[in-house]
Amino acid sequence: MSDTIAAISTAMGEAGIGIVRMSGKESINIANRLFKGKKVDRLDENHNRRLVYGHIVDPKNDQLIDEVLIAYMKEPYTYTRENMVEIYCHGGIISVRKILDLTLENGARLAEPGEFTKRAFLNGRLDLAQSEAVIDLIRAKTDKSYEVSLGQLEGNLSKKIKEIREILLGMIAHIEASIDFPDEDIEEVTYEELEESANRVYQEIERLLETADRGKILRDGLNTVILGKPNVGKSSLLNAILRENRAIVTDIPGTTRDIIEEYVNIDGIPLKIIDTAGIRTTEDVVEKIGVDRAREMVDRADLIIAVFDASNDLTEEDYHIIDIVKDKRSIVLLNKTDLPNKFDEGTLKSLIPNRDIIVTSILKGIGIDQLEDAIKDMFYKGDLQVESDILVTNVRHKNQLIKAKKNIEDGINGIRSNMPLDCIEVDIKDCWDNLGEISGDTVGEDILDRIFSDFCIGK
Ligand code: GDP
């Protein structure tokens, strides 16, 4: 970590200001090679946490690069806990780029994605779960996901993990004392006590795991696929939903002709809607790509909205779709009900039992509200009270919790069958380790690299 790193920390594009930042021992010296203050010759300790006005000048040829404000922040009270310099220049592409290049020519190295936050973690300013919350915060798509990330950044998940690990540590300490000093006058740990603690750990882990599905949806969006044969009104439905709800991000992958993805916000639930070309039985190659993709999408979907056309008979394609949605979380729409009805709703109901059918006329705007209510019901499903609690949003955390749960289950089984203490201790320690990987107390370099490479550069 002895390198001084530099990166552009603002998004590239037309903007009022852009920020280039550096972190590391040499930051201030590099800055002093480039910066000519209006009233200040050199930045030093006296300028700690003060904005200084001046110009960036290329030391090779004294060429003026930009008019800037510069801030020097002395360690350890900085984001990375290292010396940092931030240069506030004009936005756009050229100025920030030129200033970044100058920092690189004068001793800094280009930061890797997430390297500032990684340093914050390695220097102990943030734990791992908090560091991961930083990127979630940046990517949050609804107020609710923002709130959850902010809570995690503030350390509420870490605190919970720490509490559970304290219980485990207490168990380990007791076991070790009993093993190491069996003859001494210390209170021997009883199997009942161990079981009680282990049960508490189990319950806490289980409670966290219960929030993971909702947490994932909040973070990544509810993967929603609109299915239906051609012409049933899928695109009209997508447009109607987009019109009524704030679209969050419009993400149209350039290469897929048949699939469009849109994010919308339905009462705080981020919906990632995938509009497919429909399931067709065609041999056309381009269409086939669409169909295969559609299948893949269906497999990955959290929710399927299946659309049928009330003004026509059920066709082979409809049966195909019924087959797909039967076993998946889905909402069924019977559309075009403004037209004369030719559709056999009874058959549909018998083919997909236990499912409400929402009658719509997307053309006339009828039924869209009911659809949205159905989505909300599905998402909140009676556990509204979890709202303010800690949510596990990150798949990595979920996987660690699953491992830890297995460990504590094994431990409990060991306790119940009166296994020797040192065998039980192995499971308790594994549980402690696996939970530690969430907060980063026990974590390998490879995992760290993977986590931080997911960040954007400059954060
Ligand atoms: P897609 O192929 O499934 O995406 O279907 P579209 O959304 O493109 O709709 C096909 C046609 O059906 C368009 O002309 C729509 O205006 C029309 N349409 C969609 N919904 C309704 C509806 O509820 N009633 C009527 N009468 N027409 C509809």
Side-chain angles (χ1 to χ4, degrees), residues 125-161:
R125 200 184 85 84
L126 299 170
D127 71 25
L128 198 53
Q130 288 176 309
S131 308
E132 289 170 298
V134 170
I135 193 69
D136 290 348
L137 197 68
I138 292 172
R139 296 203 178 132
K141 295 189 179 61
T142 64
D143 289 353
K144 185 69 200 160
S145 53
Y146 181 82
E147 254 171 53
V148 173
S149 323
L150 197 59
Q152 192 177 318
L153 179 59
E154 290 294 306
N156 59 16
L157 174 66
S158 310
K159 194 163 149 253
K160 182 52 83 193
I161 296 293

Side-chain angles (χ1 to χ4, degrees), residues 108-128:
R109 153 173 86 65
L110 185 64
E112 288 163 16
E115 196 170 0
F116 289 92
T117 309
K118 187 177 181 181
R119 289 184 175 201
F121 164 70
L122 291 173
N123 291 323
R125 200 184 85 84
L126 299 170
D127 71 25
L128 198 53

Side-chain angles (χ1 to χ4, degrees), residues 228-237 275 335-339 360-364:
K229 65 186 171 190
N231 255 333
V232 287
K234 296 184 297 296
S235 311
S236 310
L237 174 64
D275 177 26
N335 189 37
K336 302 203 187 183
T337 48
D338 53 295
L339 297 176
T360 63
S361 167
I362 296 164
L363 192 70
K364 303 214 151 134

Side-chain angles (χ1 to χ4, degrees), residues 367-383:
I368 313 280
D369 287 350
Q370 281 92 314
L371 168 64
E372 290 179 11
D373 287 345
I375 294 170
K376 276 185 265 178
D377 285 351
M378 220 171 228
F379 183 71
Y380 287 121
K381 236 183 358 201
D383 50 348

Side-chain angles (χ1 to χ4, degrees), residues 212-218 221-227 269 271 297-306 324-332 352 354-355 374-381 383:
D213 284 346
R214 253 162 58 82
K216 180 185 173 292
I217 287 167
L218 216 49
L222 188 73
N223 257 319
T224 307
V225 173
I226 302 177
L227 268 192
I269 309 165
L271 224 61
M297 296 293 170
V298 165
D299 288 340
R300 290 218 321 257
D302 302 308
L303 168 67
I304 293 171
I305 302 175
I324 294 170
V325 300
K326 240 180 15 221
D327 309 317
K328 299 234 21 161
R329 184 144 71 152
S330 55
I331 294 175
V332 176
I352 322 177
N354 310 324
R355 204 88 39 116
I375 294 170
K376 276 185 265 178
D377 285 351
M378 220 171 228
F379 183 71
Y380 287 121
K381 236 183 358 201
D383 50 348

